[in-house]
Amino acid sequence: MGKLFICDHPLIQHKLTFIRDEKTNTKDFRELVDEVATLMAYEITREIKLEEVTIRTPVSDAKCKIISGRMLGLVPILRAGLGMVDGILQLIPGAKVGHVGLYRDPETLLPVEYYVKLPTDVQERELIVIDPMLATGGSAIMAIDALKKRGCAQIKLMCLIAAPEGVKAVQEAHPEIDIYVAAVDDYLNDHGYIIPGLGDAGDRLFGTK
Ligand SMILES: O=P(O)(O)OC[C@H]1O[C@H](OP(=O)(O)OP(=O)(O)O)[C@H](O)[C@@H]1O
Ligand SMILES: O=c1cc[nH]c(=O)[nH]1
Ligand SMILES: [Mg+2]
């Protein structure tokens, strides 16, 4: 079973409080999501492989470490996943970015796929699927399905807030996947919203409501 990693660093938890607060405006919300994504990227890259290289300092040779040739890819789920991309790229500027477009049907709560565009060498990359919200888990499961269908095997999932129901669903559908979240909340309400959550992540990021 993949691990569920809760990023409980005080800076992440502090910023998450303001992300949740309904008084936080669109500009601040976007900036905070960006900052938390950077901090979570620090956690999610903890196990990245390093290689030894020898460089020359001004006074001698030095055996040092660099991130190995294994390449990374970010896969935001549109729309709301876009809000976390730049924050991660700050730390991993060499990562390529693929996009999976899904929206959740408000009646059935089931995801509908409308767009997939991935780097040509996506199968060789270690991928991080990104979405602020893991609610029923349907969107994350469908995005991971879309990647597996195209031959991708190394996939992690990174979300800001998860519902227990969503974590369970992803673990059942994709048991090998590691999930990184800043918080696991209480439950889903009848409309599939995470409680207490932060409301609609896409709308709060892009000011559409
Ligand atoms: O776990 P689930 O129950 O599938 O719900 C989570 C999904 O819902 C939201 O997207 P939404 O469908 O609102 O699309 P948007 O990002 O375009 O607003 C969110 O960003 C996730 O993608
Ligand atoms: O709470 C939720 C659930 C799904 N999508 C969101 O943006 N928020
Ligand atoms: Mg939305």
Side-chain angles (χ1 to χ4, degrees):
M1 176 72 77
K3 67 181 172 210
L4 171 64
F5 189 92
I6 299 178
C7 303
D8 59 358
H9 191 287
L11 285 172
I12 294 176
Q13 295 304 316
H14 173 85
K15 289 175 192 296
L16 186 60
T17 299
F18 293 94
I19 289 173
R20 289 182 187 277
D21 191 333
E22 65 174 0
K23 295 195 295 296
T24 299
N25 65 31
T26 300
K27 173 179 175 289
D28 292 343
F29 185 90
R30 202 181 290 139
E31 285 175 7
L32 285 160
V33 169
D34 192 60
E35 289 167 10
V36 169
T38 305
L39 295 167
M40 288 183 73
Y42 186 77
E43 301 272 21
I44 208 167
T45 51
R46 182 173 290 278
E47 288 162 21
I48 269 188
K49 298 274 180 306
L50 293 170
E51 309 180 336
E52 220 168 66
V53 290
T54 303
I55 52 113
R56 176 113 194 124
T57 76
V59 285
S60 79
D61 285 349
K63 281 204 172 108
C64 300
K65 291 183 168 46
I66 56 167
I67 292 174
S68 86
R70 287 176 83 188
M71 300 173 299
L72 290 165
L74 310 181
V75 184
I77 300 178
L78 307 180
R79 287 176 301 170
L82 288 176
M84 298 173 75
V85 171
D86 286 348
I88 303 173
L89 287 176
Q90 294 253 11
L91 287 194
I92 322 171
K96 290 199 175 169
V97 183
H99 296 86
V100 175
L102 306 176
Y103 70 87
R104 198 173 70 155
D105 183 302
E107 300 297 323
T108 63
L109 300 184
L110 295 174
V112 180
E113 184 182 300
Y114 59 87
Y115 186 72
V116 179
K117 179 76 182 174
L118 301 169
T120 48
D121 58 358
V122 71
Q123 299 87 353
E124 294 153 37
R125 292 180 177 266
E126 263 184 64
L127 302 176
I128 307 174
V129 173
I130 307 161
D131 195 324
M133 309 307 276
L134 180 63
T136 65
S139 302
I141 291 169
M142 188 178 264
I144 295 165
D145 281 338
L147 295 175
K148 287 187 174 175
K149 217 163 40 182
R150 289 163 177 83
C152 305
Q154 304 177 78
I155 305 168
K156 292 184 163 89
L157 174 64
M158 176 171 164
C159 304
L160 285 187
I161 299 178
E165 295 90 331
V167 172
K168 185 163 177 278
V170 172
Q171 286 176 334
E172 280 171 8
H174 299 293
E176 79 290 2
I177 298 273
D178 289 340
I179 305 172
Y180 289 74
V181 298
V184 178
D185 277 8
D186 297 341
Y187 65 98
L188 289 179
N189 72 9
D190 293 344
H191 304 287
Y193 276 86
I194 300 174
I195 304 299
L198 54 72
D200 187 301
D203 285 338
R204 293 196 64 191
L205 273 168
F206 298 109
T208 39
K209 222 172 228 170

